[in-house]
Amino acid sequence: MKKCLLINFLLIFSLTIIAQSGNDKFENEWIKVKQFEDKDLPQSATDEVDIILKNAIKRKNNQQVIKALIYKNKYKKQIDSNDNEGLFADLQNLAQQSTNPAETALLNSMLAELYQQYYTVNTWSINARTDMIGFVPDDMKEWSRNIFVDKVVGYTNASIEPKDELKKYTTSQFEDIIQLGEDAQEYYPTLYDFLISRAIYIVQNIFPSRWHSDPFNIADIGISSDQILKPAGEYVVLAINTDHRKEYIIWSYYQQFFSDLLSRRLIPTVVLMEIDKLNFINQITSLNYESKLDALIEMEKIYADSPSSIELINEIVNAVNSNYSQDNTHNQLVYDWCKKGIGKYPDYKRIDLLKKRLAELERPSIGMNGKALYYPNQPININVVYKNTQAIKQPVTFELYRRGADDGSYNLVKKIEQPLVSETTYNSDTLTLNLGVLTNGRYVLTRIEDGVEPKIEILNTNDKYEFVVSALTSFTRKSEENIYEIFVVDRMSGKPVADA
């Protein structure tokens, strides 16, 4: 049974233009809502939102009406996750009665997202149903996947259709209902920019994954796997066929948005959408490393004159790191790209992305490793793995301690001064450290940095190396039920050791 419409206000209320008579933001009321939300009281928050909604309707404050509906839906879902059909009806009626293209477009975008979210939450059960052709049940709980796709795409199309009108409005004019990030005006200056980017995001969330029974096939849209990766300037002129499936409209959305952005020279937004498209392709096709890296490098060349190319360099670094090689050859690429970006655009607002990566790459480190057990009266060599030791102010001194057999105390055996010179600041080098011939016992090797003596007891495993020197080893044998024999033998010869 369908839920009742919101207080029947639609019989007497019609939306007006954005220059509305009511301009109250209901700030005190929204503070109360936030307080209830922080206390995890969704019903109390809903009651307060209802008051805002009633007053917003009375004053014809359209943005506050929409904002209140959004929050009302949010809290209703917290109270009852299935109680959301009323909001569908409310927004549909608002959209039908609206005479302002901007408000109508926003409402259509909200409806598209609502249907997408409902589908996402119920994906498993919806996908199990056979597609219904030419028939839409009254109860949304009976809909098949194709009906949800039709609804979502229908509303995303409607949300961006009045393109020229939407470009007359700035996103800041809708700050009551659009959560603006710090750089929203730069990247999405008009309402059209905001809505088409939302349309892309919404359709991404109903797009068949690569594990779907009928996954995306690039050939279905009439282009090749190389063409779909082309940068915006080449991508916009491709003859893409989106008729195979409704959700394939997303490839047309990318074309429309790229074309418009390029005509206005909004390169920062172009770069972000290039990255978005590439990551989406990777998500639905499992793009191989070489193809993704090549596409990013080609884009970086195209947009190199824009500081926003730093975003592409950051993605290149991500791609290289995701293909980590054990020989650290990837470090050279990461280092070169970071240095290039930092050197070219040191004042870019997000340059810290590369600075932090470079700092992590060049962080000095010294590690020690070797065997856990050594034979006595033979030279003992261990490996020292180090990086960017030039950044360590004082010479590194290694200290070898022998553990007391009775009290576990640490007794200094020797200090070893060993120069460590790294060939690069970003790759690890390995040196063989000779500890000499040692007698039986338990040993700990550590190091002094900047003249500070370490407290061995609290050092983590990365800062110390523990090993045993012994000629003996042991094994057990079960001779009878619940009876075990322990044998102690020479570790090298295997001969039993008497009285061990």
Side-chain angles (χ1 to χ4, degrees):
M1 181 177 178
K2 290 193 174 182
K3 304 294 187 296
C4 294
L5 289 184
L6 181 66
I7 60 177
N8 288 327
F9 76 88
L10 295 172
L11 297 175
I12 58 173
F13 176 70
S14 61
L15 290 169
T16 56
I17 59 173
I18 267 309
Q20 54 213 22
S21 58
N23 208 22
D24 190 351
K25 293 182 180 294
F26 300 99
E27 293 176 350
N28 292 332
E29 290 84 347
W30 283 115
I31 289 173
K32 293 180 183 178
V33 172
K34 182 65 166 59
Q35 290 172 345
F36 286 129
E37 180 176 326
D38 291 343
K39 294 177 182 178
D40 195 22
L41 298 171
Q43 185 58 61
S44 298
T46 301
D47 294 340
E48 191 64 35
V49 170
D50 280 338
I51 295 172
I52 296 172
L53 183 56
K54 187 174 181 179
N55 287 324
I57 294 168
K58 183 177 180 180
R59 301 178 194 183
K60 297 184 178 181
N61 190 331
N62 305 339
Q63 287 199 38
Q64 288 295 316
V65 169
I66 297 172
K67 180 178 180 180
L69 284 172
I70 294 170
Y71 276 82
K72 186 177 179 72
N73 177 62
K74 173 184 176 181
Y75 299 132
K76 283 173 69 177
K77 286 197 292 186
Q78 290 179 9
I79 298 167
D80 181 358
S81 60
N82 295 316
D83 187 12
N84 52 20
E85 292 183 34
L87 185 64
F88 283 96
D90 291 338
L91 292 181
Q92 285 166 350
N93 279 277
L94 280 171
Q96 289 169 4
Q97 294 189 45
S98 172
T99 59
N100 178 267
E103 289 180 343
T104 305
L106 278 166
L107 290 165
N108 284 326
S109 182
M110 292 175 192
L111 281 162
E113 186 174 41
L114 276 178
Y115 281 112
Q116 172 260 304
Q117 289 175 344
Y118 185 96
Y119 168 77
T120 300
V121 170
N122 301 281
T123 298
W124 187 86
S125 59
I126 293 172
N127 285 350
R129 300 168 193 157
T130 303
D131 282 355
M132 300 178 184
I133 308 299
F135 171 67
V136 180
D138 291 336
D139 190 346
M140 188 165 61
K141 296 182 180 67
E142 299 175 2
W143 289 4
S144 55
R145 183 184 189 278
N146 65 304
I147 297 175
F148 282 98
V149 171
D150 288 348
K151 289 287 186 181
V152 171
V153 173
Y155 281 115
T156 54
N157 284 341
S159 74
I160 60 174
E161 187 177 359
K163 174 180 174 181
D164 293 336
E165 286 295 320
L166 296 176
K167 289 171 74 172
K168 295 176 182 178
Y169 298 97
T170 64
T171 48
S172 60
Q173 288 177 263
F174 300 87
E175 60 182 358
D176 285 350
I177 52 179
I178 297 176
Q179 293 184 346
L180 298 174
E182 182 180 346
D183 302 314
Q185 277 300 116
E186 176 186 355
Y187 292 107
Y188 310 105
T190 74
L191 186 57
Y192 171 76
D193 300 319
F194 173 77
L195 289 175
I196 193 168
S197 63
R198 261 178 64 85
I200 290 171
Y201 170 78
I202 291 168
V203 176
Q204 282 179 351
N205 283 280
I206 62 165
F207 206 88
S209 71
R210 59 178 182 264
W211 298 283
H212 191 269
S213 58
D214 184 19
F216 172 61
N217 185 344
I218 296 175
D220 288 340
I221 59 173
I223 60 176
S224 68
S225 56
D226 290 333
Q227 288 176 310
I228 201 171
L229 296 175
K230 291 297 183 184
E234 297 178 57
Y235 179 80
V236 295
V237 299
L238 295 175
I240 295 179
N241 179 7
T242 62
D243 295 336
H244 188 74
R245 298 177 70 138
K246 285 284 184 69
E247 54 266 54
Y248 287 2
I249 192 67
I250 193 171
W251 306 115
S252 178
Y253 287 168
Y254 277 119
Q255 283 189 310
Q256 293 174 47
F257 199 19
F258 279 137
S259 180
D260 193 81
L261 292 170
L262 290 170
S263 69
R264 289 181 284 157
R265 299 296 300 164
L266 289 178
I267 301 304
T269 314
V270 173
V271 168
L272 289 187
M273 295 310 299
E274 291 271 33
I275 294 171
D276 179 87
K277 179 170 78 78
L278 189 60
N279 286 336
F280 179 58
I281 294 170
N282 183 59
Q283 175 188 329
I284 60 175
T285 65
S286 191
L287 190 64
N288 67 62
Y289 165 73
E290 290 78 12
S291 296
K292 183 175 183 179
L293 186 61
D294 289 346
L296 285 167
I297 291 173
E298 183 180 1
M299 291 175 195
E300 193 277 333
K301 291 177 182 177
I302 293 171
Y303 305 113
D305 292 337
S306 169
S308 58
S309 62
I310 293 299
E311 305 293 344
L312 288 163
I313 291 178
N314 184 57
E315 289 296 316
I316 290 171
V317 170
N318 284 340
V320 173
N321 278 334
S322 70
N323 194 53
Y324 179 81
S325 56
Q326 293 299 319
D327 59 4
N328 283 341
T329 55
H330 78 297
N331 285 353
Q332 175 77 56
L333 284 173
V334 172
Y335 176 83
D336 289 345
W337 280 108
C338 287
K339 293 291 284 187
K340 177 180 179 178
I342 294 168
K344 193 168 185 180
Y345 297 110
D347 299 322
Y348 180 65
K349 57 193 173 186
R350 279 165 47 91
I351 197 63
D352 280 351
L353 287 171
L354 300 185
K355 287 183 177 180
K356 289 177 181 178
R357 290 180 179 276
L358 185 61
E360 177 66 26
L361 187 64
E362 294 187 304
R363 181 178 297 166
S365 64
I366 301 175
M368 300 157 287
N369 63 73
K371 296 185 294 184
L373 184 65
Y374 290 92
Y375 202 75
N377 303 317
Q378 292 185 0
I380 295 176
N381 295 312
I382 63 105
N383 294 321
V384 177
V385 181
Y386 58 97
K387 183 179 68 174
N388 198 16
T389 48
Q390 290 91 323
I392 300 175
K393 297 178 182 179
Q394 300 292 332
V396 177
T397 300
F398 294 93
E399 292 186 330
L400 180 65
Y401 292 86
R402 189 175 188 274
R403 297 290 302 274
D406 297 325
D407 58 6
S409 59
Y410 293 90
N411 303 300
L412 182 64
V413 177
K414 65 174 71 174
K415 291 188 177 183
I416 305 171
E417 292 189 3
Q418 176 65 57
L420 299 175
V421 180
S422 302
E423 293 186 14
T424 69
T425 60
Y426 49 85
N427 268 337
S428 296
D429 298 295
T430 302
L431 174 141
T432 300
L433 185 65
N434 190 334
L435 301 182
V437 176
L438 301 175
T439 59
N440 291 333
R442 295 170 60 198
Y443 294 86
V444 178
L445 181 67
T446 185
R447 64 183 187 276
I448 301 175
E449 288 185 26
D450 298 331
V452 178
E453 289 281 348
K455 293 183 178 180
I456 302 174
E457 297 88 345
I458 63 174
L459 287 177
N460 63 46
T461 55
N462 294 325
D463 297 319
K464 63 183 178 181
Y465 164 58
E466 299 183 80
F467 62 95
V468 174
V469 176
S470 175
L472 306 180
T473 189
S474 64
F475 64 90
T476 61
R477 183 179 69 180
K478 185 177 180 180
S479 57
E480 297 180 29
E481 186 70 24
N482 297 324
I483 296 178
Y484 293 85
E485 295 178 306
I486 301 175
F487 296 88
V488 180
V489 299
D490 184 280
R491 191 165 57 87
M492 296 294 286
S493 67
K495 294 181 179 180
V497 178
D499 303 322

